[in-house]
Amino acid sequence: MVVENLQEQGVNVIYGKEVESVQLDGEKKKVSFVSYPEMQKDSSSGIYDTIVWAMGRDPQHGNLNLTAAGVKIDEPTGRIIVSQDDRSSTENIYAIGDVALGRPELTPTAIRAGQLLARRIFGGTNQTVNYDNVPTTVFTPLELGTVGYSEERAVKEFGSESIEIFHSHFTPFDYVVPQDPNSAHCYAKVVCLRNSPRKILGMHIVGPNAAEIIQGYAVALNVGITFEQLIDTIAIHPCTSEEFIKMHITKRSGLSPKTLSLMAEEAISTHFESDDEEGRCTPSPEPETKKRKLSPAKLLPADVMKGNEADYGDFVLDRTESISLDDEDMATLENSSGDSSVWKEKILASLLTGTEDESADQSGKKNTQKKVL
């Protein structure tokens, strides 16, 4: 999703190649590539305005002659093989940070590992870094924030039948009014154990401010939060972080994680006539009509985030609109078996008018068109 978003913004993302050279070509840059991992000469090249070169990091310990001290090195990566407590194959030699095999290449992780190592050596403690719950973010224009197990790792370690995946496509509140196309790639996922109390193993989100969001949830994962505790928390509305708390659709169900989206086609605007004699602006007598449209998504009960319908009869659609439905309406919707054409027409009419229109049908029963709240 992050890569798709970059590509839509005109970024050419290139995989599986190393940069051989970069040369100036006027005001642009000419890049020549070699294939990776074979590292054979590749005749391809490209002309670019700006280059972001994701080259990674290599350990620099060649002049230490570690093998003479009995320290084992992972040959493909050049990194030092360590145990959980950062000890190398030589008892009194430790390695922390990027130089150690299997450690995240993150500065805060290395700092924490060094602090805990000093406490173990000089303070008599035995605490080590929990590398399972290291939060991190890819700071692309649309951020990716992640902490804990990925879905793939959880399935591999616990088995697919023991894992539950909750997920949601969503529209961040600050994308609603401008109808930002980036919302098409916003996505959140919770990985947890399937059996009660469904301990959460990982949380992941693609969207604005993902770093700020995932930092707080990393604390929750460190103290063993369960899915029941997550959804029992009161959400802050409106904010992007509430997507985790409102999550209710599982991958196992086969239902679409995309909620019904009601977006403004045209904002209400009032035209003003010229100033009057006292310098005041007066509205024109014919303001533009408020128009709204339904998204192409089908109106299905599973795609609608329910409010407290027992007390209020509200269905909250995409966190931005509410439509009041009476008990009979809700019963019909729940039993509609996916046939949503009637409801689309009814709700669309309500959105376009925003008024209640009562008329008697042939049986004498009044039909009440629902009003947008």
Side-chain angles (χ1 to χ4, degrees), residues 30-69:
K30 180 179 180 180
V31 183
S32 298
F33 300 100
V34 291
S35 297
Y36 179 83
E38 295 82 4
M39 297 300 291
Q40 297 175 352
K41 177 66 178 177
D42 189 328
S43 60
S44 64
S45 62
I47 305 295
Y48 305 99
D49 297 304
T50 303
I51 303 168
V52 178
W53 192 349
M55 63 180 66
R57 304 173 185 176
D58 282 331
Q60 301 296 310
H61 54 66
N63 60 344
L64 297 179
N65 196 17
L66 293 176
T67 54

Short mmCIF file of all heavy atoms in Angstrom, two decimals, residues 30-69:
data_model
loop_
_atom_site.label_atom_id
_atom_site.label_comp_id
_atom_site.label_asym_id
_atom_site.label_seq_id
_atom_site.Cartn_x
_atom_site.Cartn_y
_atom_site.Cartn_z
N LYS A 30 21.76 10.80 -13.78
CA LYS A 30 21.71 9.55 -14.52
C LYS A 30 22.22 8.43 -13.62
O LYS A 30 23.33 8.49 -13.11
CB LYS A 30 22.56 9.62 -15.79
CG LYS A 30 22.52 8.33 -16.60
CD LYS A 30 23.36 8.44 -17.86
CE LYS A 30 23.31 7.13 -18.65
NZ LYS A 30 24.14 7.21 -19.88
N VAL A 31 21.38 7.41 -13.43
CA VAL A 31 21.71 6.30 -12.54
C VAL A 31 21.91 5.03 -13.36
O VAL A 31 21.06 4.67 -14.17
CB VAL A 31 20.60 6.07 -11.50
CG1 VAL A 31 21.00 4.95 -10.54
CG2 VAL A 31 20.31 7.35 -10.73
N SER A 32 23.06 4.37 -13.16
CA SER A 32 23.32 3.07 -13.78
C SER A 32 23.23 2.00 -12.71
O SER A 32 23.65 2.20 -11.57
CB SER A 32 24.71 3.06 -14.43
OG SER A 32 24.79 4.04 -15.45
N PHE A 33 22.67 0.83 -13.09
CA PHE A 33 22.39 -0.21 -12.12
C PHE A 33 23.20 -1.48 -12.39
O PHE A 33 23.64 -1.73 -13.52
CB PHE A 33 20.91 -0.59 -12.15
CG PHE A 33 19.99 0.55 -11.84
CD1 PHE A 33 19.35 1.24 -12.86
CD2 PHE A 33 19.76 0.94 -10.54
CE1 PHE A 33 18.50 2.29 -12.59
CE2 PHE A 33 18.91 1.99 -10.25
CZ PHE A 33 18.28 2.67 -11.28
N VAL A 34 23.38 -2.27 -11.33
CA VAL A 34 23.86 -3.64 -11.46
C VAL A 34 22.83 -4.53 -10.77
O VAL A 34 22.17 -4.11 -9.82
CB VAL A 34 25.25 -3.85 -10.81
CG1 VAL A 34 26.31 -3.13 -11.61
CG2 VAL A 34 25.25 -3.38 -9.37
N SER A 35 22.68 -5.76 -11.26
CA SER A 35 21.67 -6.66 -10.71
C SER A 35 22.07 -7.11 -9.31
O SER A 35 23.25 -7.22 -8.97
CB SER A 35 21.50 -7.88 -11.62
OG SER A 35 21.02 -7.48 -12.88
N TYR A 36 21.08 -7.40 -8.51
CA TYR A 36 21.30 -7.88 -7.15
C TYR A 36 20.42 -9.11 -6.95
O TYR A 36 19.28 -9.12 -7.41
CB TYR A 36 20.93 -6.80 -6.15
CG TYR A 36 21.09 -7.21 -4.71
CD1 TYR A 36 22.33 -7.13 -4.08
CD2 TYR A 36 20.01 -7.69 -3.98
CE1 TYR A 36 22.48 -7.51 -2.76
CE2 TYR A 36 20.16 -8.07 -2.66
CZ TYR A 36 21.39 -7.98 -2.06
OH TYR A 36 21.55 -8.37 -0.76
N PRO A 37 20.86 -10.21 -6.32
CA PRO A 37 22.15 -10.34 -5.61
C PRO A 37 23.29 -10.83 -6.49
O PRO A 37 24.42 -10.94 -6.03
CB PRO A 37 21.82 -11.37 -4.54
CG PRO A 37 20.80 -12.25 -5.18
CD PRO A 37 19.98 -11.35 -6.05
N GLU A 38 23.01 -11.17 -7.76
CA GLU A 38 24.08 -11.70 -8.61
C GLU A 38 25.18 -10.67 -8.84
O GLU A 38 26.34 -11.00 -9.08
CB GLU A 38 23.50 -12.13 -9.95
CG GLU A 38 22.53 -13.31 -9.86
CD GLU A 38 21.13 -12.86 -9.46
OE1 GLU A 38 20.92 -11.64 -9.33
OE2 GLU A 38 20.26 -13.72 -9.26
N MET A 39 24.81 -9.37 -8.77
CA MET A 39 25.76 -8.28 -8.97
C MET A 39 26.42 -8.33 -10.33
O MET A 39 27.58 -7.95 -10.51
CB MET A 39 26.82 -8.27 -7.86
CG MET A 39 26.27 -8.04 -6.47
SD MET A 39 25.41 -6.45 -6.31
CE MET A 39 26.76 -5.31 -6.44
N GLN A 40 25.70 -8.84 -11.33
CA GLN A 40 26.21 -8.83 -12.69
C GLN A 40 25.87 -7.49 -13.34
O GLN A 40 24.92 -6.82 -12.95
CB GLN A 40 25.61 -9.98 -13.49
CG GLN A 40 25.99 -11.36 -12.95
CD GLN A 40 25.29 -12.47 -13.69
OE1 GLN A 40 24.42 -12.23 -14.51
NE2 GLN A 40 25.68 -13.70 -13.41
N LYS A 41 26.65 -7.13 -14.33
CA LYS A 41 26.43 -5.85 -15.00
C LYS A 41 25.04 -5.80 -15.61
O LYS A 41 24.59 -6.73 -16.28
CB LYS A 41 27.49 -5.66 -16.10
CG LYS A 41 27.32 -4.38 -16.92
CD LYS A 41 27.55 -3.14 -16.08
CE LYS A 41 27.42 -1.89 -16.94
NZ LYS A 41 27.58 -0.66 -16.15
N ASP A 42 24.33 -4.73 -15.34
CA ASP A 42 22.99 -4.52 -15.87
C ASP A 42 23.04 -3.29 -16.76
O ASP A 42 23.49 -2.23 -16.34
CB ASP A 42 22.00 -4.31 -14.72
CG ASP A 42 20.55 -4.31 -15.20
OD1 ASP A 42 20.31 -3.88 -16.33
OD2 ASP A 42 19.68 -4.75 -14.43
N SER A 43 22.59 -3.44 -17.98
CA SER A 43 22.69 -2.34 -18.94
C SER A 43 21.67 -1.24 -18.69
O SER A 43 21.71 -0.20 -19.35
CB SER A 43 22.53 -2.87 -20.37
OG SER A 43 21.26 -3.50 -20.52
N SER A 44 20.74 -1.45 -17.76
CA SER A 44 19.69 -0.47 -17.55
C SER A 44 20.21 0.77 -16.84
O SER A 44 21.16 0.73 -16.07
CB SER A 44 18.54 -1.08 -16.75
OG SER A 44 18.98 -1.42 -15.45
N SER A 45 19.57 1.89 -17.12
CA SER A 45 19.88 3.15 -16.46
C SER A 45 18.65 4.02 -16.52
O SER A 45 17.67 3.70 -17.21
CB SER A 45 21.08 3.84 -17.13
OG SER A 45 20.76 4.16 -18.48
N GLY A 46 18.67 5.12 -15.80
CA GLY A 46 17.51 6.01 -15.80
C GLY A 46 17.92 7.42 -15.46
O GLY A 46 18.96 7.66 -14.84
N ILE A 47 17.09 8.38 -15.88
CA ILE A 47 17.31 9.80 -15.61
C ILE A 47 16.26 10.25 -14.59
O ILE A 47 15.06 10.05 -14.81
CB ILE A 47 17.21 10.64 -16.89
CG1 ILE A 47 18.17 10.12 -17.95
CG2 ILE A 47 17.49 12.11 -16.57
CD1 ILE A 47 19.63 10.24 -17.59
N TYR A 48 16.71 10.85 -13.50
CA TYR A 48 15.79 11.21 -12.42
C TYR A 48 16.06 12.61 -11.90
O TYR A 48 17.18 13.12 -11.99
CB TYR A 48 15.91 10.20 -11.26
CG TYR A 48 15.71 8.77 -11.69
CD1 TYR A 48 16.80 7.94 -11.93
CD2 TYR A 48 14.43 8.26 -11.88
CE1 TYR A 48 16.62 6.63 -12.34
CE2 TYR A 48 14.24 6.95 -12.29
CZ TYR A 48 15.34 6.14 -12.52
OH TYR A 48 15.15 4.85 -12.93
N ASP A 49 15.01 13.22 -11.34
CA ASP A 49 15.15 14.53 -10.69
C ASP A 49 15.77 14.38 -9.31
O ASP A 49 16.66 15.13 -8.92
CB ASP A 49 13.78 15.21 -10.56
CG ASP A 49 13.15 15.48 -11.91
OD1 ASP A 49 13.80 16.15 -12.73
OD2 ASP A 49 12.02 15.02 -12.15
N THR A 50 15.27 13.41 -8.55
CA THR A 50 15.71 13.20 -7.17
C THR A 50 15.88 11.70 -6.93
O THR A 50 15.11 10.90 -7.45
CB THR A 50 14.67 13.76 -6.17
OG1 THR A 50 14.47 15.15 -6.45
CG2 THR A 50 15.15 13.60 -4.74
N ILE A 51 16.88 11.35 -6.13
CA ILE A 51 17.15 9.94 -5.85
C ILE A 51 17.11 9.72 -4.34
O ILE A 51 17.76 10.44 -3.58
CB ILE A 51 18.55 9.52 -6.37
CG1 ILE A 51 18.66 9.80 -7.87
CG2 ILE A 51 18.81 8.05 -6.07
CD1 ILE A 51 20.08 9.68 -8.37
N VAL A 52 16.33 8.74 -3.90
CA VAL A 52 16.37 8.26 -2.52
C VAL A 52 16.96 6.86 -2.59
O VAL A 52 16.35 5.94 -3.12
CB VAL A 52 14.97 8.23 -1.88
CG1 VAL A 52 15.05 7.68 -0.47
CG2 VAL A 52 14.38 9.64 -1.86
N TRP A 53 18.15 6.70 -2.04
CA TRP A 53 18.91 5.47 -2.19
C TRP A 53 18.85 4.67 -0.89
O TRP A 53 19.48 5.03 0.11
CB TRP A 53 20.36 5.84 -2.52
CG TRP A 53 21.24 4.73 -2.99
CD1 TRP A 53 21.00 3.40 -2.95
CD2 TRP A 53 22.54 4.89 -3.56
NE1 TRP A 53 22.05 2.70 -3.46
CE2 TRP A 53 23.02 3.59 -3.85
CE3 TRP A 53 23.34 5.99 -3.85
CZ2 TRP A 53 24.28 3.38 -4.41
CZ3 TRP A 53 24.58 5.77 -4.41
CH2 TRP A 53 25.04 4.48 -4.69
N ALA A 54 18.05 3.60 -0.86
CA ALA A 54 17.89 2.76 0.34
C ALA A 54 18.99 1.71 0.34
O ALA A 54 18.79 0.57 -0.08
CB ALA A 54 16.51 2.13 0.35
N MET A 55 20.16 2.07 0.82
CA MET A 55 21.33 1.21 0.69
C MET A 55 21.56 0.30 1.90
O MET A 55 22.34 -0.64 1.83
CB MET A 55 22.58 2.06 0.47
CG MET A 55 22.93 2.99 1.61
SD MET A 55 24.41 3.96 1.27
CE MET A 55 23.86 4.99 -0.07
N GLY A 56 20.90 0.57 3.02
CA GLY A 56 21.10 -0.27 4.20
C GLY A 56 22.42 0.02 4.90
O GLY A 56 23.07 1.03 4.64
N ARG A 57 22.82 -0.90 5.79
CA ARG A 57 24.03 -0.70 6.58
C ARG A 57 24.87 -1.98 6.60
O ARG A 57 24.32 -3.07 6.67
CB ARG A 57 23.67 -0.32 8.03
CG ARG A 57 22.77 0.89 8.15
CD ARG A 57 22.33 1.10 9.57
NE ARG A 57 21.37 2.19 9.67
CZ ARG A 57 20.76 2.55 10.80
NH1 ARG A 57 21.02 1.89 11.91
NH2 ARG A 57 19.90 3.55 10.81
N ASP A 58 26.17 -1.81 6.57
CA ASP A 58 27.09 -2.94 6.68
C ASP A 58 27.91 -2.80 7.95
O ASP A 58 28.34 -1.69 8.30
CB ASP A 58 28.05 -2.99 5.48
CG ASP A 58 27.38 -3.56 4.24
OD1 ASP A 58 26.47 -4.39 4.40
OD2 ASP A 58 27.76 -3.16 3.12
N PRO A 59 28.13 -3.91 8.68
CA PRO A 59 28.96 -3.84 9.89
C PRO A 59 30.42 -3.56 9.55
O PRO A 59 30.95 -4.10 8.57
CB PRO A 59 28.79 -5.24 10.50
CG PRO A 59 28.42 -6.12 9.35
CD PRO A 59 27.63 -5.26 8.41
N GLN A 60 31.05 -2.71 10.33
CA GLN A 60 32.45 -2.33 10.09
C GLN A 60 33.32 -2.81 11.26
O GLN A 60 33.56 -2.08 12.21
CB GLN A 60 32.55 -0.81 9.93
CG GLN A 60 31.72 -0.24 8.80
CD GLN A 60 32.19 -0.73 7.43
OE1 GLN A 60 33.38 -0.68 7.11
NE2 GLN A 60 31.25 -1.22 6.63
N HIS A 61 33.73 -4.07 11.19
CA HIS A 61 34.57 -4.61 12.27
C HIS A 61 35.76 -5.38 11.71
O HIS A 61 36.42 -6.14 12.43
CB HIS A 61 33.75 -5.53 13.17
CG HIS A 61 33.04 -6.63 12.44
ND1 HIS A 61 33.69 -7.66 11.80
CD2 HIS A 61 31.71 -6.86 12.23
CE1 HIS A 61 32.83 -8.47 11.23
NE2 HIS A 61 31.61 -8.01 11.48
N GLY A 62 36.06 -5.17 10.43
CA GLY A 62 37.12 -5.95 9.79
C GLY A 62 38.48 -5.79 10.44
O GLY A 62 39.27 -6.74 10.49
N ASN A 63 38.78 -4.60 10.98
CA ASN A 63 40.10 -4.37 11.57
C ASN A 63 40.22 -4.85 13.01
O ASN A 63 41.26 -4.68 13.64
CB ASN A 63 40.46 -2.88 11.50
CG ASN A 63 39.47 -2.01 12.25
OD1 ASN A 63 38.38 -2.46 12.58
ND2 ASN A 63 39.85 -0.76 12.50
N LEU A 64 39.15 -5.45 13.54
CA LEU A 64 39.19 -5.94 14.93
C LEU A 64 39.71 -7.37 15.04
O LEU A 64 40.02 -7.83 16.14
CB LEU A 64 37.79 -5.85 15.56
CG LEU A 64 37.19 -4.46 15.69
CD1 LEU A 64 35.79 -4.54 16.31
CD2 LEU A 64 38.08 -3.54 16.51
N ASN A 65 39.76 -8.09 13.92
CA ASN A 65 40.25 -9.48 13.91
C ASN A 65 39.50 -10.32 14.94
O ASN A 65 40.08 -11.00 15.79
CB ASN A 65 41.75 -9.53 14.19
CG ASN A 65 42.35 -10.87 13.81
OD1 ASN A 65 41.74 -11.66 13.06
ND2 ASN A 65 43.54 -11.16 14.32
N LEU A 66 38.16 -10.27 14.87
CA LEU A 66 37.32 -10.94 15.86
C LEU A 66 37.46 -12.46 15.83
O LEU A 66 37.32 -13.12 16.86
CB LEU A 66 35.86 -10.55 15.63
CG LEU A 66 35.52 -9.08 15.90
CD1 LEU A 66 34.07 -8.80 15.54
CD2 LEU A 66 35.78 -8.71 17.36
N THR A 67 37.72 -13.02 14.66
CA THR A 67 37.84 -14.48 14.58
C THR A 67 39.00 -14.99 15.42
O THR A 67 38.95 -16.11 15.95
CB THR A 67 38.02 -14.91 13.12
OG1 THR A 67 39.14 -14.21 12.55
CG2 THR A 67 36.77 -14.61 12.30
N ALA A 68 40.03 -14.18 15.57
CA ALA A 68 41.17 -14.58 16.40
C ALA A 68 40.77 -14.70 17.87
O ALA A 68 41.38 -15.45 18.64
CB ALA A 68 42.32 -13.58 16.25
N ALA A 69 39.73 -13.96 18.25
CA ALA A 69 39.24 -14.02 19.63
C ALA A 69 38.15 -15.07 19.79
O ALA A 69 37.57 -15.20 20.87
CB ALA A 69 38.71 -12.65 20.05
#
